[in-house]
Amino acid sequence: MNRLGKFLQIDRRWIFLAILIAVLAPFIWPMGLPIVITKPVQDLYNAVDAIPPNGEPLFISIDYSPSTVPELDPMALAILRHAFSKDIRVAVLTLDPAGYGLAERALEAVAAEFGKERHKDYVFLGFQPGISAVVLGMGINIRNVFPEDAYGTPLSEIPMMEGIRNYDQIPLLITLSGTAVVEAWVIYAHQPYDAQIGAGVTAVMATDYYPFLDTGQLVGMLGGMRGAAEYETLIDRHDAGVRGMDSQSVIHILIIVLIVVGNIAYFGSRKRAPETAGGDAAA
Amino acid sequence: MRRHVPLALCFIAGVFMAIQYFIPHPSVQAWYERLLAWLQTLLAFAFLIGTVSLVRLHAHKIGHKVAGRGYSWVLFVGLGLMVGFGFKGRAPGSPFDFMFQNVQVPIEGTMFSLLAFYIASAAFRAFRARTLEATLLLLAATIVMLGRVPVGDLLHRSIPAATDWILNVPNMASKRGIMIGVGLGMMATALKIMLGIERAWMGGTD
Amino acid sequence: MNMTLIGTTLAALLTIAVYSFLYKDNPFYKFAEHLVVGVSAGYYLVIYYYNFIDPTVVSPVFRLRIGGDAILLGGVDWWMALIPGLLGLILYARFFPKIGWVSRWALGIYVGGYSGLGIAPVMQARVLDQIRGGALPVHALHTGQGWTNLLLVVGLLGTLTYFFFSLKHKGVLGGLARIGIVFIMVGFGASFGYTVMSRVSLLIGRMNFLLHDWLRIV
């Protein structure tokens, strides 16, 4: 095996170490690179901003689990901060059982930050199983699927939910999800009931939903940590999303370098292989 | 009883749920709402079948003294603690919430973050521009990776513009085609299930 | 006792235990792996029971209450709670080989119901609306938008042709399928770029926790 071939066989733990250094360095020496806002994020921000204060609530469906917290939690916090800063009422629900603890944590933290009052400014509806059944049920009557909030208070006794019957009284519903739950909201809420749906998704899913953005089935979309960073920039905050962008930049460049170097080494080792006796042509 | 009754129930439930979309009559809609609630209940019970299977698997490991059964005890301790704490209370700050926030959230998050290291290793060892298609894929990936981070905006303004073009034109076209294809496939599969042509959900050999 | 500090330290130690796998598989990693499986199973069991099964089935059937309202034993509401509860329990017959076939009755309703539910909305959202979105004017080739539309239409037709296997991909069909694969590869490249971004974000999130929340050095 020639030198390039041996280089390709390098212990992968050296690569792991390079990644570790690449992610840690910007935390210690931040670069503060500016973040440019893209149209899907601006559209979602505008849709939230257009909701009148102290009126019909913004619904946020926190449909993610702990595995996607770094991407979606910053989105949830940013949207909540935006809403509460504009005195927009918020109703939070979740279709993912693990989302229950995450939704509660995010909502209570931001509500306390802004001095918001439960049942007057925000409500946590809790978790309901069934995804499509829940989404369809909300189109008929929210009280069919959420008769009480997460703490047992009937919706009929919650002041901010007075007159909120179904999607006709919901100006915007944002789903934050790392799974196909976003599609369920588009298919079962927007399609039959013309509900206005926005989405915050993991970067893995983001490219799949551009057709929904194009046809207006989604009013706007945040994609991955970059989407969270853009939204934080729009609300003038410097939180986890923005903080992570420097590391993201460095690691992306490292991975591109690894791809290029790997390909150069691969093609280089293949070219040289016939010249050396017993060279490994498959390397 | 074993095959025909389930197939008949599947057909009746499926056809009803499909045609109710077109029948706004109050009695049909009332049964539709009822059946929606039933489906939720069924899903809730079905989800917990996984937990029962998990307990059976690890109980078998312990009972048959399989190597590594000590870890099965760890699993049961975790399960028991959560169920016990859960019965006592689930409010923020409770032991139940403490275990969720400080055990489940960090471990799950960290497990998935391991992928970042493996994707870097794969980038070096496996991502080869051997064919035209692979080259196109890697080129598009490189442009998008640069264009979606702030450093791409700094390097040259054409990079984010190229990224936007890739996302809004070729990516959109191909994903739209895939979406249409998958949608047609979903409907075909749903019809096959309702009509009893697709019977894998029944399992068994009888 | 500062529970926040204890919790953060516990979370940090478990995080490091999982990362130790990068060096090699070891008992600390296995411990964390099995612990999270047990904890999450217990978590889901509690959430499902208290958020849904108790208020929807157990409370109406045994306590004769739905929310704050009393219901009649044998009344319509009682039966509407009991029937789905029994159907749900029937699903567990699968664990008993002699009566396992009974679970198919509940499974039939479940599978059939969800299958039928999606037919019309999926047709509307995934097929008709997307065809409508893809049907673009391609005549204005003197403008940039005209060329963009042409590319979108050609890309869509090419992608659909590539996945059409009922006819051999040769001649015009083969050419269109070839164009389709070009668009598909660019689309997958974009997805791959975003996937890298996604995985890296998860790592950044954990590092942020270790450095900012635990060690407080950034």
Side-chain angles (χ1 to χ4, degrees):
Chain A
M1 194 188 294
N2 60 38
R3 238 185 256 160
L4 283 172
K6 279 190 185 149
F7 178 59
L8 279 173
Q9 303 302 320
I10 190 174
D11 190 327
R12 63 184 182 176
R13 288 177 291 193
W14 288 111
I15 299 173
F16 295 167
L17 184 62
I19 290 290
L20 187 64
I21 293 168
V23 75
L24 288 176
F27 276 104
I28 316 258
W29 301 289
M31 296 182 281
L33 297 169
I35 291 165
V36 174
I37 312 299
T38 54
K39 189 175 182 301
V41 176
Q42 186 69 61
D43 288 345
L44 187 63
Y45 174 89
N46 293 343
V48 174
D49 216 47
I51 299 173
N54 298 312
E56 290 165 344
L58 165 69
F59 272 60
I60 303 176
S61 187
I62 292 188
D63 305 323
Y64 57 89
S65 63
S67 58
T68 51
V69 156
E71 289 186 272
L72 298 173
D73 221 39
M75 290 180 193
L77 295 170
I79 293 169
L80 284 167
R81 287 187 172 116
H82 182 201
F84 285 145
S85 70
K86 298 265 170 160
D87 291 327
I88 296 169
R89 291 177 175 156
V90 175
V92 173
L93 60 129
T94 177
L95 304 181
D96 186 322
Y100 185 98
L102 299 172
E104 194 173 39
R105 178 177 76 172
L107 181 57
E108 292 296 333
V110 180
E113 218 176 283
F114 286 85
K116 293 298 179 183
E117 207 179 306
R118 188 188 294 169
H119 296 166
K120 182 171 164 280
D121 303 308
Y122 71 93
V123 63
F124 181 39
L125 299 174
F127 162 71
Q128 284 288 318
I131 303 178
S132 43
V134 176
V135 175
L136 283 165
M138 283 177 65
I140 302 167
N141 191 333
I142 292 170
R143 284 155 185 73
N144 286 357
V145 281
F146 291 103
E148 305 164 340
D149 77 345
Y151 310 106
T153 307
L155 252 58
S156 52
E157 292 174 21
I158 296 175
M160 65 169 271
M161 292 302 289
E162 192 183 322
I164 310 299
R165 185 182 157 79
N166 52 40
Y167 295 119
D168 289 343
Q169 292 85 41
I170 298 175
L172 178 66
L173 185 145
I174 299 175
T175 169
L176 303 174
S177 172
T179 65
V181 169
V182 173
E183 276 188 46
W185 283 108
V186 172
I187 291 170
Y188 298 112
H190 174 76
Q191 221 49 59
Y193 299 107
D194 208 26
Q196 295 302 293
I197 308 290
V201 299
T202 56
V204 170
M205 319 280 310
T207 56
D208 295 343
Y209 296 132
Y210 269 76
F212 284 149
L213 277 172
D214 184 59
T215 51
Q217 288 163 296
L218 283 176
V219 302
M221 184 174 75
L222 311 184
M225 191 179 258
R226 166 68 187 238
E230 289 180 41
Y231 208 95
E232 286 173 8
T233 304
L234 283 168
I235 62 168
D236 268 324
R237 295 276 309 204
H238 191 94
D239 294 318
V242 172
R243 275 203 306 269
M245 280 291 104
D246 287 346
S247 293
Q248 196 97 62
S249 291
V250 174
I251 295 185
H252 277 208
I253 290 175
L254 175 60
I255 288 180
I256 290 168
V257 167
L258 285 170
I259 292 174
V260 170
V261 167
N263 275 278
I264 291 172
Y266 171 72
F267 288 110
S269 68
R270 285 191 73 187
K271 252 191 184 164
R272 289 195 189 173
E275 295 167 6
T276 51
D280 183 3
Chain B
M1 291 285 272
R2 293 183 183 227
R3 293 184 72 76
H4 295 114
V5 171
L7 286 173
L9 288 170
C10 179
F11 177 76
I12 293 166
V15 167
F16 176 79
M17 286 311 237
I19 64 170
Q20 62 73 28
Y21 190 82
F22 305 101
I23 307 174
H25 194 278
S27 58
V28 171
Q29 290 303 306
W31 270 104
Y32 163 62
E33 283 177 47
R34 209 163 274 147
L35 205 49
L36 266 186
W38 289 15
L39 288 178
Q40 271 191 278
T41 309
L42 280 169
L43 187 136
F45 279 91
F47 187 90
L48 296 174
I49 285 177
T51 307
V52 175
S53 295
L54 183 76
V55 168
R56 278 162 56 104
L57 171 72
H58 285 273
H60 179 269
K61 273 181 135 177
I62 291 170
H64 287 77
K65 295 187 169 31
V66 172
R69 63 187 178 280
Y71 297 111
S72 297
W73 280 112
V74 171
L75 188 147
F76 280 127
V77 165
L79 178 63
L81 279 176
M82 281 306 263
V83 172
F85 288 150
F87 280 129
K88 286 177 72 99
R90 298 159 301 284
S94 64
F96 179 79
D97 185 62
F98 178 89
M99 291 285 284
F100 174 73
Q101 303 290 354
N102 298 298
V103 176
Q104 187 174 341
V105 170
I107 296 180
E108 263 193 55
T110 311
M111 290 231 166
F112 278 82
S113 76
L114 291 175
L115 290 164
F117 294 97
Y118 293 113
I119 218 168
S121 173
F124 180 68
R125 290 169 165 225
F127 297 152
R128 300 286 176 252
R130 280 199 198 98
T131 61
L132 171 67
E133 289 86 357
T135 309
L136 278 171
L137 190 146
L138 285 176
L139 262 172
T142 305
I143 294 170
V144 168
M145 275 195 280
L146 272 180
R148 272 291 162 260
V149 289
V151 80
D153 301 330
L154 275 182
L155 279 172
H156 197 280
R157 65 173 184 275
S158 64
I159 296 176
T163 303
D164 282 339
W165 184 85
I166 287 174
L167 289 168
N168 287 301
V169 184
N171 169 69
M172 167 108 78
S174 60
K175 294 295 163 57
R176 178 168 276 156
I178 290 169
M179 196 177 271
I180 292 170
V182 170
L184 292 169
M186 281 167 76
M187 288 193 309
T189 304
L191 281 169
K192 279 163 70 175
I193 289 171
M194 282 159 50
L195 296 172
I197 301 166
E198 175 64 57
R199 300 180 185 188
W201 58 270
M202 284 209 291
T205 52
D206 56 323
Chain C
M1 210 190 307
N2 189 339
M3 291 309 292
T4 307
L5 181 62
I6 292 171
T8 308
T9 306
L10 174 65
L13 291 174
L14 290 169
T15 299
I16 293 166
V18 174
Y19 277 135
S20 66
F21 183 78
L22 291 167
Y23 186 70
K24 62 176 180 176
D25 197 3
N26 61 82
F28 296 111
Y29 171 78
K30 283 201 174 76
F31 171 84
E33 183 187 42
H34 283 77
L35 180 64
V36 77
V37 172
V39 165
S40 55
Y43 177 83
Y44 291 133
L45 183 65
V46 170
I47 292 294
Y48 267 93
Y49 182 79
Y50 279 104
N51 275 268
F52 188 78
I53 295 175
D54 187 75
T56 318
V57 178
V58 173
S59 182
V61 171
F62 295 106
R63 292 183 223 121
L64 301 178
R65 296 201 82 80
I66 293 178
D69 305 323
I71 61 168
L72 282 174
L73 176 70
V76 173
D77 289 332
W78 187 81
W79 281 107
M80 289 300 111
L82 179 70
I83 293 169
L86 285 175
L87 286 171
L89 283 174
I90 283 171
L91 284 171
Y92 291 83
R94 64 192 289 111
F95 292 114
F96 305 97
K98 281 210 165 75
I99 55 165
W101 57 270
V102 178
S103 68
R104 290 177 185 172
W105 292 3
L107 207 52
I109 297 172
Y110 174 70
V111 169
Y114 271 111
S115 297
L117 201 58
I119 287 180
V122 164
M123 176 68 158
Q124 191 76 33
R126 274 181 160 269
V127 181
L128 295 178
D129 271 5
Q130 290 305 318
I131 290 174
R132 198 176 298 130
L136 297 163
V138 297
H139 57 281
L141 292 178
H142 56 283
T143 63
Q145 188 59 49
W147 281 101
T148 300
N149 288 353
L150 179 65
L151 280 172
L152 284 168
V153 170
V154 166
L156 173 61
L157 291 173
T159 304
L160 289 170
T161 307
Y162 179 77
F163 289 112
F164 185 67
F165 301 119
S166 303
L167 293 170
K168 264 206 169 116
H169 286 178
K170 51 184 188 184
V172 173
L173 207 69
L176 202 49
R178 192 98 190 99
I179 293 171
I181 196 66
V182 168
F183 278 82
I184 290 167
M185 284 296 121
V186 175
F188 284 169
S191 294
F192 169 62
Y194 262 78
T195 300
V196 169
M197 185 164 95
S198 186
R199 303 299 174 217
V200 166
S201 300
L202 302 181
L203 173 62
I204 292 169
R206 297 315 300 156
M207 289 298 130
N208 186 50
F209 164 75
L210 288 174
L211 297 174
H212 183 261
D213 298 343
W214 183 46
L215 295 173
R216 296 185 188 273
I217 57 176
V218 296

